[in-house]
Amino acid sequence: PGADYLSINNIEVIYDHVILVLKGVSLTVPKGKIVALLGANGAGKTTTLKAISNLLHAERGDVTKGSVEFKGGRVDQLTPSDLVRQGVIQVMEGRHCFGHLSIEENLLTGAYTQSLSRGQLNEQLEKVYHYFPRLKTRRKSQAGYTSGGEQQMCAIGRALMANPEMILLDEPSMGLAPQIVEEIFEIVKDLNARENVSFLLAEQNTMVALRYADFGYILESGRIVMEGAADELRNNEDVKEFYLGLS
Ligand code: ATP
């Protein structure tokens, strides 16, 4: 992998000292690409993202083997907020907007790792609103009273406020109607194309994710069992049968 890659190498994760959840996972995300991490509920997708962001500790999980590199340097010893400063940010599953704050206040919390002037903050906000016009319309609304799709947009928009080079996006389609899922993936594609943000996308929704991703990895019980270009995976008979429910 070249200097602009995120790569994780042979990661093993154990929860509570005994539960081996990732059994040596390796993957790379090239600069400017969308990579999908696919697999059933419980396969280890969220754990993989948390291993990258160093969010496992709080959950009594430990990386016992392997390394994470970003742009050629080790990042596995950084705190989550230092990793954000390096350009890698995670959007957690389940959206996690602050329900009692307005959409705009939520977005502003995303800029905390930078010290921006009021003018720069406004520029960042305008950028987010450019990609998510719905958030602009709803900017004064209390986040907890907005729709699931708007809350997912708010979570991605908040991550954008940190000006990331790479977003680790966990299950953005969860609980959303198909039309909203498409809307969100279109925006992801747009951010990738225009802002050159790379994405590592954990998804159970294999079919949709492979339409938007460049490359995919399939995780099963903590191991990568298949990988390939998104088009190849979409047309692979095993993938169709086991993961797309088209058998
Ligand atoms: P999901 O779609 O539910 O997020 P996933 O593929 O992301 O699924 P993980 O959440 O990474 O899967 O979970 C992988 C395995 O690790 C599961 O068997 C889960 O029960 C277990 N696990 C997850 N978090 C913990 C924890 N904090 N302590 C112990 N076991 C955990």
Side-chain angles (χ1 to χ4, degrees):
D4 276 323
Y5 283 56
L6 172 78
S7 66
I8 79 170
N9 315 296
N10 204 23
I11 287 281
E12 245 181 47
V13 170
I14 292 187
Y15 283 114
D16 275 332
H17 305 291
V18 286
I19 313 161
L20 180 61
V21 166
L22 295 187
K23 302 164 184 166
V25 170
S26 299
L27 59 82
T28 62
V29 184
K31 172 110 183 120
K33 299 291 183 194
I34 301 177
V35 173
L37 181 60
L38 306 164
N41 191 3
K45 304 179 298 296
T46 299
T47 301
T48 304
L49 298 193
K50 286 181 177 165
I52 297 170
S53 315
N54 275 318
L55 287 167
L56 284 172
H57 212 65
E59 306 201 12
R60 298 155 54 81
D62 278 309
V63 178
T64 58
K65 229 167 89 178
S67 62
V68 182
E69 289 177 25
F70 184 58
K71 295 199 213 172
R74 290 280 291 259
V75 293
D76 35 281
Q77 302 303 323
L78 298 181
T79 63
S81 54
D82 280 335
L83 191 62
V84 173
R85 289 187 190 93
Q86 299 256 324
V88 181
I89 191 163
Q90 179 164 353
V91 177
M92 308 271 266
E93 182 176 17
R95 309 190 264 273
H96 296 292
C97 286
F98 300 109
H100 58 290
L101 298 182
S102 71
I103 292 284
E104 186 154 298
E105 286 163 344
N106 267 284
L107 294 177
L108 289 170
T109 65
Y112 81 99
T113 52
Q114 304 159 294
S115 19
L116 300 182
S117 66
R118 186 68 226 180
Q120 288 168 319
L121 270 179
N122 282 335
E123 264 175 44
Q124 288 283 88
L125 272 177
E126 283 312 313
K127 183 166 97 180
V128 172
Y129 290 145
H130 169 78
Y131 287 97
F132 295 100
R134 263 175 192 252
L135 293 184
K136 185 161 193 171
T137 322
R138 303 286 266 142
R139 69 186 187 280
K140 299 255 193 292
S141 308
Q142 203 175 324
Y145 292 105
T146 63
S147 70
E150 286 160 350
Q151 290 183 37
Q152 181 64 65
M153 291 177 189
C154 177
I156 301 171
R158 189 174 59 189
L160 270 184
M161 290 294 289
N163 219 7
E165 292 178 49
M166 169 157 311
I167 296 181
L168 312 172
L169 187 53
D170 199 358
E171 210 85 55
S173 77
M174 195 168 62
L176 301 179
Q179 195 190 330
I180 306 293
V181 172
E182 296 292 335
E183 194 178 327
I184 287 172
F185 275 100
E186 286 294 339
I187 296 170
V188 164
K189 195 85 189 163
D190 223 25
L191 283 167
N192 173 252
R194 292 170 196 234
E195 304 289 333
N196 205 24
V197 179
S198 314
F199 285 87
L200 178 58
L201 179 71
E203 258 299 341
Q204 271 187 67
N205 198 333
T206 308
M207 179 112 70
V208 176
L210 286 177
R211 267 201 283 115
Y212 288 92
D214 299 296
F215 199 87
Y217 291 89
I218 297 176
L219 198 57
E220 228 178 69
S221 307
R223 287 181 217 280
I224 304 283
V225 293
M226 208 186 289
E227 63 181 85
D231 292 350
E232 269 168 41
L233 289 179
R234 263 197 310 155
N235 293 310
N236 180 294
E237 292 304 320
D238 291 338
V239 175
K240 279 192 210 169
E241 190 173 336
F242 291 112
Y243 297 98
L244 307 184
L246 297 177
S247 55

